[in-house]
Structure formats: C-alpha cells, structure tokens
Amino acid sequence: MSQDVQEPEAEALAPELLPLDAWHRARGGRMVPFAGYEMPVQYEGIMAEHLWTREHAGLFDVSHMGQLLFSGADTDAQLETLLPGDIKGLIPGRMRYSLLLADNGGIHDDLMVTRLGDENAFEIDAGAFYMVVNGATKWDDLGVFREALPDEVAINHLDEQALLALQGPEAVTALERVVPGVASLVFMTAAAFEWQGNPLWVSRSGYTGEDGFEISLPGDAAEAFAEALCAQPEVKPIGLGARDSLRLEAGLPLYGHDLDLDTNPVAADLGFALSKRRREEGGFPGAEAILADRANGSATKRVGLIVEGRQPVREGAIVVDDSGTQIGTVTSGGFAPSVQKPIAMAYVPAALATPGTRVTLSQRGKTHNAEVTSMPFVPHRYVRKGA
C-alpha cells in the first residue's frame, strides 16, 4: 500500500488538510505536500521514529487513504469481477489483501477489503464490504469501480472518516487501555468498538510488519482520540518517512513504486493474493496472462537486495550486467535502521532471483555490489489465531 504518488491533477491544486493537521503542527510535525495532502513526514527524525515503533508503538495518520463501502445484492460476486481474491469466502469481520487489476493483468492498486457483520461502525446492513485503498489512487479507483460495477452495487466514499494506524509490539497494551476489548482481535480481523460515544472500526492490521491496529473513526473525533493514545507512555506520533522505512524492512511493496499498471501479481511476488478457488475458476481481469505466468514463470521478479557498504541505493537505480547494460530496476531503497545496512527492492530477470545471487547496481555513475536476499528483511510480528 502506498501514500506518496502524486496525481497530476492533485499537484496543480493546493494540498488538502487532514482532520489532524493542527494537531500534527502543534506536535512539531514537519509537514510536506504528499498525495494531495499536507502530511507529517517526521517529528524528531526518521531513524528515532523508526526504532521507537520497532520497540514500542508508533501512531501514524493515514487519513488520506480512501475508505469505501460497497453494498447491495451480490456485492461479493461483483467485486470478484475486479479482484483476484476469494471475496465470497470472507466471513464477517475477516479482511483480505487484494489487488484491483487492469485487463492486461497489471495492478491499478492494492487494497484491504473486509466483510461487515451486523455490528459495524458504519450503520450499514450486514454483508456490505469496507475497503481501504491508497490515497494517491483513490479517485482513479472510484472511477474504475463505478464504471465496472452495476448500479445495484452502491459505493459510499467515507471522506469524513479519519484513519489512524497504531503499530509496534506495545500497540496492543496501549490501545487496550483506551479501547478495552481490542486485544481479542487477531491479525486480519476487525470489529466495531466505541470510544467516548464515537463509533470505531478497528482492525488488527497495518503495513509495517509489526503487530498493530488501524482505527477508522469520525474525523471530528480524531484529535481527541490521537491525544488519548499519545497520553499512553508506549505511544509517540510517527511520520510517513519512518512508515516508508518500516514497510521496506517488512518487504511490503509500495504502490506507484514497486507496483503499477505494468506489473502483474506474479512478477511482484504477490501470488498469495490469488486465492486457490479464483486460480481454478479465473474470471478476474488479466486472468489468462497472470495464470500463464504463474504456471510458466514470470520473466522478471521482485526481490530484496542487501547492498554492500553504507551508501543507500534509491528508487531509479538500475541493475546492470557485466557489460553495464540495464537488466533490472530498483523500485525502493534506503538505509534500514533495524538492519543497519542499505536495503532495496528491485525487479530482476527470474534467473537472478535466487537468494545469494550477486548483482551490480548503478546509481548516478557509481556502481554498488548487492546480494539477492529473502524478504522480509525484518521478521513480521503479526499476532495470529492460535499463536
């Protein structure tokens, strides 16, 4: 999931303000234009915020992301015409990572979708679906959904809702103190709660590789709720700079960088997003090409790289062969605070995708040696059922 791809239309307009804009500024957040919004990139420094989240709990404002409701007859079947996941098989309160696919099998967006039950925070009938999509692509996503889905499927954009993410090993301790009962959730489940009369929709999920939660709530309650969370000794506000380094260490792709319309799920190493039933039945955009790549192997593959030395290699660097010819592209990169080494993600020829393979990178006229490695770079710490 991503936050930092600017739409051309968005760049021409003044950035919008988040419900927590004044709160971020009062907390010392350095605000920058980001996906059409003014957003905090850091408070006390990316390195310190990154390590705090790995050890304690970081509060992220991700209210720029799109929150959508889908309801109506056969909504699950209709969503399956656009997504490759087993949406019909979702039970109430369960969520799934999926992909909004283009006809060529490329990726419009990656997203989280949850089936709602009788008790939900949105005053909508059971059987509806709650979806979180990337902030930079939410308007395009809405266009795709509205054009492709029949009128019987109602789509509601929750643009008045805030979305906060509390991530880190102590997130459950802090949030349970403020919202009793959330500790009963496990990874990829969600439920309705209430805080001071405000409805909350809380999922145990996130995009840092840590245990944690995402909380959807009314925008006018966000500041008081964020203040209540940051009153807990485990919690500090964290900017999007550290969110990016955390997700990179977790091996999670960033839309607009590691994923785009020219990338299919097999090359992106997102085969888990293709549910078994859907692989057998097909019926999603690009199914023929995607399933052929899955059977025969993709020509390229997204891999993790450990870069030698201390110099980070950034997005846009190229992977070269012995003659200096480009054979791949770095799509994300930076210094990993928890690993204490430069790391990166890149697309390379499938023959070079085996862990341990050495590759050469070129960035601004300098070459760097790197080694393909398994991802994640830092083990995930999700709390699963039965763990």
Side-chain angles (χ1 to χ4, degrees):
M1 308 278 282
S2 147
Q3 314 87 37
D4 68 347
V5 184
Q6 294 277 359
E7 292 177 337
E9 297 81 358
E11 289 179 338
L13 300 172
E16 295 188 51
L17 302 184
L18 300 169
L20 285 176
D21 184 83
W23 186 84
H24 292 309
R25 294 175 193 276
R27 287 266 178 173
R30 185 162 74 83
M31 307 298 282
V32 298
F34 200 82
Y37 292 83
E38 286 279 325
M39 301 196 69
V41 68
Q42 63 178 16
Y43 296 84
E44 58 181 292
I46 292 174
M47 180 77 77
E49 292 169 33
H50 179 114
L51 295 175
W52 179 270
T53 304
R54 285 273 184 251
E55 295 171 8
H56 304 287
L59 179 65
F60 302 82
D61 183 358
V62 289
S63 299
H64 65 301
M65 301 185 80
Q67 299 182 69
L68 311 176
L69 290 178
F70 297 82
S71 59
D74 300 322
T75 300
D76 49 6
Q78 295 297 339
L79 287 175
E80 285 195 355
T81 65
L82 297 172
L83 313 178
D86 183 1
I87 309 303
K88 292 179 182 175
L90 274 175
I91 62 174
R94 293 288 302 185
M95 57 195 301
R96 181 156 288 150
Y97 175 87
S98 195
L99 303 164
L100 178 58
L101 295 174
D103 289 340
N104 67 349
I107 300 171
H108 275 297
D109 200 1
D110 60 341
L111 53 88
M112 291 285 193
V113 58
T114 310
R115 187 191 287 271
L116 300 176
D118 289 322
E119 293 187 11
N120 61 72
F122 308 110
E123 298 183 348
I124 196 166
D125 293 339
F129 289 85
Y130 168 74
M131 183 183 293
V132 177
V133 302
N134 284 302
T137 55
K138 60 186 177 186
W139 299 111
D140 286 342
D141 291 357
L142 272 167
V144 171
F145 282 121
R146 284 180 169 145
E147 183 174 341
L149 297 178
D151 292 342
E152 289 73 19
V153 176
I155 306 173
N156 185 9
H157 180 202
L158 303 173
D159 55 354
E160 300 294 322
Q161 286 284 109
L163 186 65
L164 304 179
L166 187 65
Q167 301 282 293
E170 296 178 349
V172 64
T173 301
L175 187 59
E176 176 71 20
R177 209 179 287 132
V178 177
V179 185
V182 295
S184 64
L185 295 172
V186 295
F187 184 55
M188 299 298 274
T189 65
F193 294 86
E194 188 176 289
W195 178 77
Q196 295 190 352
N198 297 291
L200 308 180
W201 184 249
V202 181
S203 64
R204 199 155 190 171
S205 63
Y207 217 61
T208 61
E210 292 292 332
D211 180 29
F213 300 84
E214 291 194 349
I215 305 115
S216 174
L217 74 166
D220 57 8
E223 185 168 324
F225 187 69
E227 200 63 32
L229 290 177
C230 285
Q232 309 306 310
E234 301 89 352
V235 180
K236 286 185 178 182
I238 306 295
L240 293 173
R243 179 173 162 85
D244 189 53
S245 57
L246 288 159
R247 72 90 197 165
L248 177 57
E249 285 186 343
L252 301 172
L254 185 65
Y255 191 83
H257 300 259
D258 311 296
L259 307 177
D260 57 30
L261 281 168
D262 295 323
T263 309
N264 84 33
V266 180
D269 198 26
L270 297 176
F272 69 90
L274 308 170
S275 300
K276 181 174 183 294
R277 177 178 64 79
R278 303 303 311 283
R279 295 198 307 268
E280 294 171 351
E281 296 177 359
F284 51 86
E288 185 174 343
I290 291 170
L291 296 176
D293 266 8
R294 190 173 186 278
N296 303 320
S298 175
T300 61
K301 191 169 182 181
R302 179 174 62 94
V303 298
L305 299 173
I306 298 286
V307 183
E308 291 183 359
R310 303 287 288 180
Q311 178 67 44
V313 174
R314 307 292 185 183
E315 176 187 2
I318 59 175
V319 185
V320 296
D321 63 14
D322 292 341
S323 65
T325 302
Q326 182 176 357
I327 55 173
T329 304
V330 173
T331 50
S332 290
F335 189 82
S338 303
V339 181
Q340 284 295 297
K341 294 177 182 176
I343 62 174
M345 291 184 198
Y347 282 88
V348 300
L352 300 181
T354 304
T357 303
R358 298 187 63 76
V359 297
T360 302
L361 310 177
S362 177
Q363 176 176 258
R364 298 194 188 98
K366 292 185 177 180
T367 58
H368 305 260
N369 296 319
E371 183 174 305
V372 176
T373 187
S374 300
M375 292 192 285
F377 298 95
V378 172
H380 294 165
R381 295 200 282 190
Y382 305 137
V383 174
R384 300 180 187 276
K385 187 176 181 179

